Amino acid sequence: MASLKDLRNRIASVKSTQKITKAMKMVAASKLKRAQEAAESARPYAERMDKVMGALGQSVANLPGASPLLVGNGQNQTYLVVVATSERGLCGGFNTNIVRAAKRRIDALLAEGKDVKILCVGRKGRAQLQRFYGNRILDTVDMGGTRYVGFSDAARIAERVRVMFDEGVFDVAVLFYARFQSALTQIATEQQLIPVPLPDADQADGLLDAGGDAIYEYEPNEEAILDDLLPRNVSVQVYRALLENAASEQGARMTAMDAATRNAGDLIDRLTIQYNRTRQAVITKELIEIISGAEAL
């Protein structure tokens, strides 16, 4: 049985941990509002741009000279899987859920005979994927020094992906991240970056005319606009994913630290009861010894 000193030390240790988890919960809650607003603000633009690019790709898919960023390079053999996770832990199943979704997709591609290469954004994703696909990881983008995600961070990652595509490193790029729904719920999401995914009938509504062509007028000309718009679309989608991840991470961390704080409180209560019972037993034993000694005299 644990001694009184051991129990006191353990109670003090758990109380210290409880203070830390409570402070981390408050910090995450203060960061969550800003991150959530940024993620929700970026959604309409990113979603609309993705639909426009998809409709445009559908209208020019069979035309010669169409940009590979829009319609692909004609091959479907090598995939680049971009896995965006966090740099820090203590955020529940946030990172694990993203990696699990990416792992399912990678395993399915490998089963189909495809070649898979991985680009990790964040150290936590790499740490988990390293065990299964160490030789397939090309590199890791370190986001540790980034306090708030900016468009320049996303543009840097998107430029890296575009350069690899231009060099023929892969044929198709897909991105995995966590879409923020609430502090309790973050949905692991897969999105195709390159080429732009073609929309279905519902998504194309209002973007295509009766003949299935995109409803656009180009000014000054189609080439000049697409040369700027297509690379920007990749950056916008990456930026949206990073913002969603930032909000999801804070929501998951707040929830995890709240649960840890409550669990620490429950453990303190149980240890306190055990301490009081042990102390009472020690006192009772001492009293019995004193009474027994007095009767012996």
Side-chain angles (χ1 to χ4, degrees):
M1 187 175 65
S3 65
L4 290 177
K5 182 178 180 181
D6 291 338
L7 289 172
R8 283 197 300 267
N9 290 340
R10 192 174 179 193
I11 290 172
S13 176
V14 175
K15 284 183 177 179
S16 298
T17 302
Q18 185 184 43
K19 290 179 181 179
I20 294 172
T21 57
K22 186 175 182 180
M24 292 182 67
K25 171 193 170 184
M26 295 174 65
V27 171
S30 66
K31 292 181 178 180
L32 175 60
K33 181 175 177 58
R34 174 174 177 169
Q36 179 179 351
E37 290 175 350
E40 292 175 347
S41 298
R43 282 177 191 169
Y45 180 80
E47 290 173 355
R48 185 66 176 180
M49 191 170 190
D50 196 39
K51 289 181 180 180
V52 168
M53 292 294 99
L56 187 59
Q58 191 175 53
S59 67
V60 304
N62 298 322
L63 298 180
S67 172
L69 286 175
L70 194 60
V71 298
N73 58 11
Q75 301 181 37
N76 189 35
Q77 179 59 32
T78 304
Y79 279 71
L80 176 69
V81 178
V82 183
V83 184
T85 55
S86 68
E87 292 289 335
R88 300 168 56 202
L90 297 178
C91 47
F94 166 72
N95 293 306
T96 302
N97 291 337
I98 298 174
V99 171
R100 186 181 294 119
K103 188 176 181 297
R104 283 197 299 265
R105 177 67 162 145
I106 293 170
D107 291 341
L109 289 171
L110 293 176
E112 295 173 6
K114 307 293 186 182
D115 186 20
V116 178
K117 300 178 181 180
I118 303 172
L119 175 64
C120 297
V121 180
R123 294 185 299 108
K124 289 300 179 179
R126 182 187 179 97
Q128 296 187 44
L129 291 170
Q130 182 77 36
R131 294 178 294 170
F132 305 101
Y133 316 106
N135 60 333
R136 299 184 181 275
I137 298 177
L138 298 179
D139 201 358
T140 302
V141 179
D142 186 2
M143 302 289 289
T146 304
R147 185 175 181 183
Y148 298 109
V149 176
F151 187 77
S152 59
D153 302 308
R156 175 166 52 92
I157 298 171
E159 176 65 20
R160 197 166 187 172
V161 173
R162 291 195 301 268
V163 168
M164 286 192 289
F165 180 67
D166 292 339
E167 293 175 349
V169 176
F170 64 89
D171 304 318
V172 180
V174 292
L175 171 66
F176 285 88
Y177 64 95
R179 178 183 173 92
F180 178 82
Q181 185 170 357
S182 69
L184 294 174
T185 307
Q186 302 84 35
I187 304 172
T189 304
E190 175 186 354
Q191 181 178 2
Q192 184 169 308
L193 288 178
I194 301 174
V196 174
L198 300 181
D200 55 30
D202 294 335
Q203 291 176 323
D205 185 31
L207 297 175
L208 301 175
D209 60 19
D213 296 325
I215 309 172
Y216 303 115
E217 293 183 1
Y218 297 98
E219 184 69 32
N221 59 67
E222 179 178 348
E223 290 77 13
I225 293 177
L226 291 182
D227 285 346
D228 177 73
L229 201 58
L230 289 173
R232 180 177 292 270
N233 176 60
V234 180
S235 299
V236 167
Q237 302 309 324
V238 173
Y239 182 49
R240 180 259 187 100
L242 294 180
L243 291 177
E244 294 280 356
N245 259 14
S248 297
E249 179 186 353
Q250 298 304 331
R253 179 169 290 114
M254 185 184 75
T255 302
M257 292 301 101
D258 178 62
T261 301
R262 286 187 280 105
N263 290 340
D266 294 340
L267 181 57
I268 290 171
D269 291 340
R270 292 197 299 270
L271 289 173
T272 301
I273 292 173
Q274 183 180 355
Y275 174 82
N276 290 335
R277 287 176 177 173
T278 303
R279 182 170 176 269
Q280 185 177 14
V282 170
I283 293 174
T284 302
K285 181 180 178 181
E286 290 177 351
L287 288 175
I288 292 173
E289 291 175 349
I290 291 172
I291 294 172
S292 298
E295 290 180 349
L297 292 175

